[in-house]
Amino acid sequence: MWAFHSPQITQSPSPHATHLPRPSPKSPICFVNLNPAAAVTAATSTSNNNELIQSLCKQGNLKQALKLLSHEPQPTQHTYELLILSCTHQNSLLDAQLVHRHLLANGFDQDTFLATKLINMYSFFGSLRDARKVFDKTQKRTIYVYNALFRALTLGGHGEEVLSLYRRMNSLGIPSDRFTFTYVLKACVASDCLISLLKKGKEIHAQILRRGYEAHVHITTTLVDMYARFGCVSYASLVFNEMPVKNVVSWSAMIACYAKNGRPFEALELFGEMMLENQDLCPNSVTMVSVLQACAALAALEQGRLIHGYILRRGLDNILPVISALVTMYARCGKLELGQRVFDQMDKRDVVSWNSLISSYGVHGFGKKAIQIFDEMIRQGVLPSPISFVSVLGACSHAGLVEEGKILFQSMHKKYGIYPSVEHYACMVDLLGRANRLEEAAKIIQDMRLEPGPKVWGSLLGSCRIHCNVELAEWASARLFELEPTNAGNYVLLADIYAEAGMWDGVKRVKKLLGARGLQKVPGRSWIEAKRKIFSFVSVDEFNPQIEQLHALLVKLSTEMKEKGYVPQTKVVLYDLDAEEKERIILGHSEKLAVAFGLINTSHGEPIRITKNLRLCEDCHSFTKFISKFTNKEILVRDVNRFHHFRDGVCSCGDYW
DNA sequence: TTAGGGTTAG
């Protein structure tokens, strides 16, 4: 498209000496002193020079363009625009800074158009301070200049700065445009303090309605996404349902909202609706990633396979995020080998693909294999990301590989220059805590340079539950009740610890606190996929039409297994009840109902696959081990943390979970 | 001149 002109710097027309701008004394740019004879011809050909520079930029020949620039007395706005663009294409910050200094020296310091380009440029290089400097030095700040800085700050995660600047813009009477709204909505979630900014987001939503932008698909889609990120699913769906115009992006945003907020069933339902009711809408790779996430969350293997087929038919199977999501989907549906096969068939892999595989092995309890894959990734020259360490440390934790985990944790900064984040500390606390090294876990928290967040305290409390440590549990829960006052799970964990220690006063106190704050325990729930449908069970499920049949089967199996040595672990019932009543309660656990359903509804040789929303209780674990031997059935249970693969009376977790 | 949805973990 662009004609190639080979730049002949030595023969090129030279500018007249009088037209040559004086470089400022501070400017490092060297203007070539040209002889007067050459300068005469140059006076008329500066437009050609500009064209030549522009052409070189378009060809990606930045170095030659810059050389020629030093001979050009009157670069135009367009020349600078293309130079700036070229610097980002070439990923050269040094050249970008040179162009910036050059345009300042040539009197373009108040050019608002170039100011927006410079802000975008510095945003690209991650130099937000420089972007802000350009903004501050620009006197006439058009909405374009504001929007450019909003975009830069939002991308950089400085949401609060955007919102304070936005307030100032409003007070100066500068009206927002449709672009401003998308940036400031995104700014509300590009920050750490989500609670206060949700209120701000709602205010901006009101402004959008007042300005009559509710029919604008970009803005409303951003609104759906903002509410999704705050976890306000009902608000997101309200906005979505009222959108007069929806496109594939809006549908994808709403599907992602469900998938990301623990509502995978609704995500799949909405995807079905999108396919059925809108035949002119074609789902794309982004849509498919969320749909795969939903299948993974539900362990819906058959659905996942159908989606995989669709992805192949649509030719979306060469897109990296889609393949990574496929690897995860298969692994989380219990088909680790299929996940590995998808990974093996990839032409190219990025760090995310590797992370998918590492965590897949981790969740199945193959810690050593996960470390091997991590090492292989490094050997192949792929640098680990912070998430690689979350994945591999998590794998160590599931497999009880404490020493290996400690070495990896230390290597993060030493070898790879990655500072451990709160997530990594949470992994370490989990790793040590599960291994009953609770004092060491507590020491890690005390020595942390970062503020330990809810994840860290939650890991400690979870470990205290496993090993029944009241003292540390009280320490952790006191912090958790401050940080997450509405997370019912924390209260339940502490109550369980008190109950197991026989401290019934403590149980009463915590339950009272739970009630006073209007919170409820999340009921145990298990899912199973059969005949391409997903069946869900809750504990002591009175509304299930098959409950009597399932219960009768469980009583029969339990009685027979007791003769073979199964002893019901009634201690998991944390109520002051008699043994018989406790036994009745544990037999009604959702996971056992799902196992019974699986025994009735799966064919011979077909494994039973169950998903559970909580950690597997000791009795269900022991019961399922017995069942797998007693009925000669393979049973895969994915609890909230990991997989348990029961076969012939043994579990893959080695009773460590 | 500028804009919306996604990948891996917990």
Side-chain angles (χ1 to χ4, degrees):
Chain A
M1 188 170 155
W2 307 103
F4 182 78
H5 300 288
S6 178
Q8 301 289 318
I9 298 296
T10 48
Q11 293 168 17
S12 66
S14 311
H16 191 277
T18 51
H19 288 160
L20 196 71
R22 290 242 158 260
S24 73
K26 285 182 193 161
S27 169
I29 302 162
C30 171
F31 293 102
V32 180
N33 282 321
L34 300 155
N35 69 64
V40 176
T41 44
T44 54
S45 53
T46 182
S47 65
N48 291 340
N49 236 353
N50 269 302
E51 275 172 25
L52 195 52
I53 297 171
Q54 291 165 17
S55 170
L56 286 165
C57 287
K58 286 169 184 168
Q59 291 157 22
N61 197 341
L62 176 63
K63 293 289 166 213
Q64 291 288 16
L66 288 172
K67 267 190 197 171
L68 203 55
L69 180 70
S70 60
H71 296 269
E72 172 50 53
Q74 291 175 310
T76 62
Q77 186 196 53
H78 188 49
T79 299
Y80 282 124
E81 183 199 358
L82 293 183
L83 280 164
I84 290 168
L85 210 62
S86 188
C87 291
T88 53
H89 285 160
Q90 305 284 314
N91 203 6
S92 170
L93 177 60
L94 283 177
D95 288 332
Q97 287 166 333
L98 187 133
V99 172
H100 187 183
R101 285 192 297 268
H102 199 287
L103 70 85
L104 291 181
N106 276 280
F108 283 96
D109 58 314
Q110 289 305 318
D111 185 304
T112 53
F113 176 84
L114 289 181
T116 66
K117 298 291 162 194
L118 285 167
I119 292 169
N120 291 342
M121 177 190 86
Y122 281 122
S123 162
F124 173 85
F125 289 114
S127 323
L128 293 182
R129 206 177 285 172
D130 289 314
R132 179 76 207 222
K133 263 193 220 162
V134 173
F135 176 87
D136 288 337
K137 286 187 177 165
T138 308
Q139 285 156 12
K140 192 176 168 245
R141 293 170 195 154
T142 61
I143 192 65
Y144 290 107
V145 181
Y146 271 100
N147 285 348
L149 189 66
F150 288 155
R151 178 177 175 269
L153 293 173
T154 301
L155 285 174
H158 300 270
E160 280 149 283
E161 201 179 334
V162 172
L163 294 170
S164 90
L165 198 65
Y166 177 62
R167 242 189 318 271
R168 214 168 75 203
M169 189 184 101
N170 283 334
S171 68
L172 289 170
I174 300 168
S176 314
D177 68 2
R178 58 193 196 282
F179 294 94
T180 320
F181 283 121
T182 57
Y183 297 132
V184 292
L185 284 175
K186 272 175 148 327
C188 292
V189 274
S191 158
D192 290 334
C193 51
L194 293 185
I195 295 169
S196 59
L197 294 186
L198 170 61
K199 201 169 152 229
K200 190 74 208 163
K202 286 180 179 171
E203 279 170 33
I204 296 166
H205 186 176
Q207 290 172 18
I208 288 166
L209 296 178
R210 279 200 295 275
R211 288 284 301 273
Y213 278 130
E214 68 267 36
H216 199 289
V217 70
H218 280 99
I219 293 178
T220 40
T221 304
T222 316
L223 266 171
V224 168
D225 184 55
M226 181 196 74
Y227 284 124
R229 282 170 205 266
F230 279 120
C232 304
V233 181
S234 51
Y235 276 85
S237 73
L238 205 70
V239 175
F240 177 76
N241 290 331
E242 289 185 359
M243 281 174 79
V245 186
K246 295 187 186 97
N247 60 19
V248 63
V249 183
S250 347
W251 282 87
S252 305
M254 195 60 222
I255 292 169
C257 171
Y258 284 131
K260 280 253 155 85
N261 284 291
R263 312 265 287 260
F265 209 84
E266 283 99 325
L268 292 184
E269 243 174 22
L270 193 66
F271 175 64
E273 201 182 313
M274 177 184 177
M275 296 286 275
L276 269 176
E277 292 182 16
N278 299 276
Q279 294 189 343
D280 49 330
L281 274 180
C282 193
N284 59 22
S285 65
V286 181
T287 328
M288 299 326 294
V289 166
S290 292
V291 173
L292 285 171
Q293 266 187 325
C295 293
L298 288 166
L301 180 62
E302 282 315 307
Q303 301 264 358
R305 277 196 169 124
L306 291 173
I307 300 294
H308 191 179
Y310 178 77
I311 286 168
L312 290 169
R313 286 197 298 281
R314 289 281 318 280
L316 300 170
D317 56 320
N318 57 352
I319 294 168
L320 280 177
V322 174
I323 314 172
S324 299
L326 267 172
V327 171
T328 305
M329 183 276 291
Y330 277 123
R332 294 187 73 87
C333 288
K335 286 283 185 184
L336 184 56
E337 66 286 359
L338 283 182
Q340 174 78 63
R341 205 186 297 167
V342 171
F343 180 87
D344 291 340
Q345 287 168 352
M346 291 173 84
D347 296 334
K348 56 180 191 293
R349 300 175 184 124
D350 62 1
V351 67
V352 179
S353 340
W354 286 95
N355 292 349
S356 306
L357 197 66
I358 293 167
S359 57
S360 295
Y361 276 96
V363 84
H364 280 269
F366 298 113
K368 290 209 164 132
K369 179 78 180 170
I371 297 175
Q372 273 174 20
I373 296 163
F374 178 87
D375 292 340
E376 181 57 27
M377 172 181 83
I378 307 285
R379 258 196 302 280
Q380 295 202 15
V382 177
L383 279 177
S385 70
I387 292 178
S388 311
F389 283 99
V390 176
S391 311
V392 74
L393 290 174
C396 290
S397 186
H398 293 312
L401 303 174
V402 178
E403 295 314 315
E404 291 86 341
K406 279 170 119 179
I407 293 169
L408 280 161
F409 184 70
Q410 279 157 6
S411 77
M412 281 183 68
H413 183 243
K414 268 193 201 154
K415 266 190 172 169
Y416 306 103
I418 298 174
Y419 283 105
S421 70
V422 179
E423 278 80 8
H424 300 109
Y425 281 105
C427 286
M428 287 309 287
V429 170
D430 191 63
L431 173 71
L432 292 161
R434 271 179 206 273
N436 205 7
R437 288 161 71 161
L438 287 162
E439 297 298 331
E440 259 181 272
K443 178 92 176 44
I444 287 227
I445 299 181
Q446 280 170 329
D447 294 347
M448 269 176 76
R449 287 187 191 160
L450 303 167
E451 188 61 40
K455 281 172 196 162
V456 174
W457 292 113
S459 292
L460 185 66
L461 186 61
S463 300
C464 289
R465 171 72 189 93
I466 298 170
H467 302 293
C468 195
N469 184 317
V470 175
E471 194 189 336
L472 287 177
E474 285 178 337
W475 183 49
S477 55
R479 292 295 295 121
L480 280 167
F481 295 164
E482 280 172 31
L483 293 166
E484 301 182 315
T486 56
N487 185 340
N490 298 328
Y491 298 85
V492 174
L493 275 175
L494 182 63
D496 287 355
I497 294 166
Y498 279 140
E500 195 167 342
M503 298 165 72
W504 299 104
D505 280 352
V507 177
K508 229 184 260 176
R509 205 171 53 243
V510 178
K511 286 195 173 167
K512 206 172 156 191
L513 203 60
L514 194 71
R517 297 193 173 174
L519 304 170
Q520 273 189 330
K521 183 178 173 172
V522 178
R525 188 177 283 277
S526 300
W527 294 268
I528 183 167
E529 192 186 41
K531 301 174 185 111
R532 290 192 178 173
K533 276 190 187 159
I534 293 158
F535 297 86
S536 156
F537 300 89
V538 287
S539 295
V540 199
D541 200 341
E542 288 160 12
F543 298 106
N544 192 302
Q546 274 186 296
I547 191 73
E548 280 183 21
Q549 188 191 3
L550 299 178
H551 192 69
L553 177 60
L554 288 170
V555 170
K556 181 174 169 279
L557 286 167
S558 174
T559 314
E560 288 169 1
M561 288 192 320
K562 273 196 231 166
E563 286 167 17
K564 307 263 176 190
Y566 162 63
V567 181
Q569 306 281 308
T570 47
K571 66 169 190 176
V572 303
V573 181
L574 303 171
Y575 299 103
D576 226 351
L577 301 168
D578 62 52
E580 202 179 316
E581 184 64 7
K582 283 185 176 183
E583 219 177 291
R584 198 189 63 79
I585 291 178
I586 52 175
L587 210 54
H589 278 182
S590 67
E591 192 229 319
K592 293 196 185 78
L593 294 174
V595 168
F597 182 87
L599 287 171
I600 298 169
N601 292 289
T602 53
S603 53
H604 180 69
E606 184 192 352
I608 297 174
R609 297 166 195 281
I610 293 167
T611 315
K612 194 173 185 325
N613 66 338
L614 302 172
R615 183 177 173 268
L616 217 57
C617 88
E618 260 178 82
D619 184 65
C620 283
H621 197 266
S622 144
F623 183 89
T624 315
K625 279 203 296 187
F626 264 93
I627 288 255
S628 69
K629 189 172 171 72
F630 196 66
T631 60
N632 195 22
K633 193 84 174 164
E634 207 178 319
I635 304 169
L636 269 94
V637 182
R638 194 184 82 198
D639 76 7
V640 70
N641 292 318
R642 58 164 297 151
F643 265 96
H644 299 263
H645 201 148
F646 298 94
R647 191 189 286 156
D648 203 22
V650 182
C651 178
S652 62
C653 78
D655 302 337
Y656 183 89
W657 81 102

